[in-house]
C-alpha cells in the first residue's frame, strides 16, 4: 500500500529566513527521505524564491499570500508602495492552503494563524529553535536536521 508522503509546510519569514543554512540541509534531507516541503509565506513570491534559490533551499511548491490574492484582484495597492489584503483573508490563507494540499505539519512563528488551521500547526520559537505542536510535542530545530526529520517522520508516518 502506497502512503502519501509526509508534507511539511515551512513559513518563510521568521523561520526559514532566520537559519537558511540549516533549512537548506533540512530540505535536501527531507527530499531524500521522500518527504515534500512547501514554503508558505506572505510574499512576495519572486523575492522569497530568489532567497531560496540563493541559499539552495529546495521545495515542491512556494505559496505566497500576496501573489495568491493579487491574481484574484483582491489586493489594494497604495501610491507609497504599501498594499492591503483584508485581515481575515490574509490570516486564513495559509490554513486553507495547507488543508487543500494535505500538509502533514505546518511550522510557523505567528500564532495568530493557528486558529485558521485544521492541519497540525507547530508554533516555532526562533530564539530556542523549537516548535510546539498542541502543547504536547516539541520538535527541536537546533538538532541535526536528520534527527529533526526523523522526529517528524515518527510523529506523522502513522
Amino acid at each position: 500500500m502506497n502512503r502519501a508522503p509526509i508534507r511539511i509546510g515551512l513559513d518563510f519569514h521568521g523561520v526559514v529566513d532566520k537559519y537558511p543554512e540549516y533549512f537548506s540541509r533540512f530540505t535536501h534531507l527531507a527530499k531524500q527521505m521522500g518527504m515534500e516541503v512547501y514554503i508558505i509565506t506572505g510574499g512576495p513570491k519572486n523575492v522569497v524564491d530568489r532567497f531560496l534559490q540563493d541559499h539552495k533551499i529546495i521545495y515542491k511548491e512556494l505559496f505566497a499570500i500576496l501573489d495568491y490574492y493579487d491574481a484574484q484582484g483582491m489586493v489594494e495597492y497604495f501610491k507609497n508602495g504599501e498594499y492591503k489584503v483584508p485581515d481575515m483573508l490574509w490570516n486564513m490563507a495559509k490554513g486553507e492552503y495547507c488543508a487543500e494540499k494535505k500538509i502533514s505539519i505546518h511550522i510557523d512563528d505567528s500564532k495568530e494563524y493557528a486558529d485558521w488551521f485544521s492541519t497540525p500547526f507547530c508554533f516555532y520559537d526562533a530564539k530556542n529553535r523549537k516548535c510546539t505542536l498542541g502543547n504536547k510535542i516539541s520538535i527541536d530545530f537546533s538538532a541535526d536536521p536528520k534527527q529533526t526529520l526523523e522526529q517528524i517522520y515518527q510523529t506523522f508516518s502513522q
Side-chain angles (χ1 to χ4, degrees), residues 4-158:
I6 293 173
R7 295 181 173 130
I8 303 169
L10 293 174
D11 176 38
F12 177 74
H13 296 103
V15 179
V16 173
D17 70 337
K18 291 281 188 194
Y19 301 101
E21 295 79 16
Y22 180 90
F23 284 103
S24 175
R25 186 152 179 254
F26 179 92
T27 59
H28 283 83
L29 288 169
K31 184 174 181 180
Q32 287 175 9
M33 294 173 72
M35 298 180 188
E36 297 175 349
V37 174
Y38 293 71
I39 305 297
I40 303 168
T41 183
K45 192 173 188 174
N46 64 335
V47 172
V48 172
D49 186 51
R50 188 173 320 115
F51 181 96
L52 297 170
Q53 298 303 320
D54 289 347
H55 290 90
K56 297 177 178 43
I57 295 168
I58 60 173
Y59 55 89
K60 181 169 177 79
E61 288 184 21
L62 169 59
F63 174 76
I65 299 169
L66 176 62
D67 298 86
Y68 174 75
Y69 285 120
D70 188 41
Q72 297 179 42
M74 299 177 76
V75 179
E76 181 180 2
Y77 289 98
F78 301 99
K79 289 181 182 180
N80 66 0
E82 293 182 12
Y83 58 85
K84 177 71 177 156
V85 173
D87 289 343
M88 188 173 103
L89 292 178
W90 186 274
N91 291 342
M92 64 193 286
K94 288 183 178 185
E96 286 185 345
Y97 177 82
C98 285
E100 176 187 319
K101 295 296 180 174
K102 296 180 175 40
I103 302 296
S104 307
I105 179 175
H106 178 67
I107 295 131
D108 205 301
D109 70 323
S110 298
K111 279 186 179 178
E112 64 266 16
Y113 298 129
D115 290 341
W116 299 98
F117 274 77
S118 58
T119 298
F121 183 94
C122 202
F123 175 67
Y124 182 78
D125 176 354
K127 181 180 174 190
N128 296 316
R129 298 183 64 188
K130 293 184 183 349
C131 77
T132 307
L133 182 65
N135 296 326
K136 295 178 183 176
I137 299 171
S138 179
I139 298 173
D140 187 359
F141 284 86
S142 66
D144 181 81
K146 186 166 179 61
Q147 289 177 282
T148 304
L149 286 161
E150 286 172 1
Q151 184 182 9
I152 291 171
Y153 179 81
Q154 290 300 319
T155 304
F156 293 96
S157 66
Q158 298 148 33

